[in-house]
């Protein structure tokens, strides 16, 4: 899944003019994306929608939904590729070996993958869990889960491996792994609720 836009912003404003994506459907623990092809995902704790953003880069377009879950920031990203479509690489293949702490490359479903990595974002170190699934050759959905660890300078003085093997690091990674496993098991395409009103190419309007 090589051509996934690098989205690290936790909140932004929706583009002012042009077409707008259909609003998602939220339950206490569930999120359903209502732009064709529709998709859904379940979460292990309560979620709240904070913001919706549209981003465009090199002919690719993404709708970013910012959510809160207790202790975590979440982005659900619906992606539309340009004319060349998606590569079939897994999420884990995009990360350096030193940054990865867990990965799933499903043999049963090659359209789905997941990875947990340590990443520097805005001067802080985050544990980031990502799950993605191809919905069509040019459309995919990714869920990114962020847990802030500490200021990046702390890791320059200390040792990342030492943190990963500490009681705190091990507990934080285990909790993230449980969340990623849960999302990986629940993310899927879904039948669109309002089939008669579905605009399959709404972003071209």
């Amino acid at each position: 899944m090589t051509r996934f836009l690098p989205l690290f912003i936790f909140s932004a404003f929706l583009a002012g003019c042009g077409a707008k994506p259909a609003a998602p459907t939220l339950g206490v623990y569930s999120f359903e994306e209502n732009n064709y092809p529709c998709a859904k995902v379940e979460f292990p704790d309560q979620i709240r929608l904070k913001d919706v953003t549209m981003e465009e880069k090199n002919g690719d377009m993404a709708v970013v939904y910012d959510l809160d879950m207790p202790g975590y920031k979440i982005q659900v990203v619906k992606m539309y590729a340009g004319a060349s479509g998606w590569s079939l690489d897994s999420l884990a293949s995009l990360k350096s070996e030193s940054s990865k702490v867990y990965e799933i490359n499903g043999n049963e479903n090659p359209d789905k993958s997941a990875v947990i990595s340590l990443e520097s974002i805005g001067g802080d170190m985050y544990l980031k869990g990502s799950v993605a699934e191809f919905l069509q050759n040019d459309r995919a959905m990714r869920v990114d889960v962020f847990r802030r660890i500490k200021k990046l300078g702390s890791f320059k003085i200390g040792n990342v491996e030492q943190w990963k093997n500490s009681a705190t690091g091990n507990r934080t990674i285990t909790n993230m792994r449980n969340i990623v496993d849960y999302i990986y098991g629940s993310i899927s395409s879904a039948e669109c609720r309002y089939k008669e009103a579905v605009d399959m190419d709404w972003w071209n309007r």
Side-chain angles (χ1 to χ4, degrees):
M1 300 182 182
T2 300
R3 297 175 57 225
F4 285 143
L5 301 177
L7 301 163
F8 298 133
I9 301 170
F10 287 146
S11 65
F13 60 88
L14 186 62
C17 55
K20 297 290 192 297
T25 302
L26 271 78
V28 177
Y29 304 98
S30 64
F31 178 95
E32 192 161 341
E33 213 278 344
N34 291 318
N35 297 286
Y36 184 86
C38 299
K40 62 183 179 181
V41 60
E42 298 281 337
F43 294 93
D45 206 340
Q46 297 183 25
I47 56 170
R48 180 171 62 93
L49 180 64
K50 292 183 63 180
D51 201 4
V52 183
T53 308
M54 289 175 62
E55 301 199 10
E56 191 170 354
K57 182 179 180 181
N58 299 328
D60 298 337
M61 198 276 292
V63 185
V64 185
Y65 304 92
D66 291 303
L67 294 89
D68 271 343
M69 189 172 75
Y72 298 87
K73 299 289 186 183
I74 295 173
Q75 288 182 332
V76 177
V77 187
K78 181 69 167 293
M79 293 167 289
Y80 300 84
S84 58
W86 300 118
S87 164
L88 295 179
D89 294 338
S90 69
L91 287 179
S93 70
L94 308 179
K95 306 294 182 183
S96 66
E97 289 300 321
S98 60
S99 70
K100 288 187 290 189
V101 296
Y102 178 65
E103 64 185 273
I104 306 173
N105 295 312
N107 293 325
E108 293 182 3
N109 187 352
D111 291 337
K112 191 186 280 192
S113 65
V115 67
I116 298 174
S117 59
L118 282 163
E119 299 195 8
S120 169
I121 304 173
D124 291 335
M125 184 65 79
Y126 282 82
L127 191 65
K128 178 185 175 184
S130 297
V131 180
E133 182 169 12
F134 291 111
L135 303 173
Q136 293 181 344
N137 67 334
D138 64 342
R139 303 179 195 190
M141 191 162 89
R142 188 182 76 212
V143 180
D144 293 327
V145 182
F146 299 86
R147 177 67 184 239
R148 182 182 176 275
I149 303 304
K150 58 177 70 177
K151 284 288 184 182
L152 188 57
S154 304
F155 273 105
K156 291 179 180 177
I157 298 170
N159 185 292
V160 174
E161 288 300 321
Q162 185 177 350
W163 175 84
K164 286 161 62 175
N165 294 320
S166 69
T168 299
N170 187 269
R171 181 173 62 253
T172 304
I173 291 170
T174 298
N175 290 342
M176 181 66 81
R177 179 172 175 167
N178 289 339
I179 292 169
V180 166
D181 285 345
Y182 190 97
I183 293 172
Y184 182 88
S186 74
I187 190 171
S188 64
S189 59
E191 185 174 356
C192 292
R193 289 170 174 262
Y194 313 108
K195 287 183 283 188
E196 68 282 355
V198 168
D199 185 351
M200 295 187 181
D201 297 307
W202 61 268
W203 64 95
N204 288 323
R205 302 294 183 261

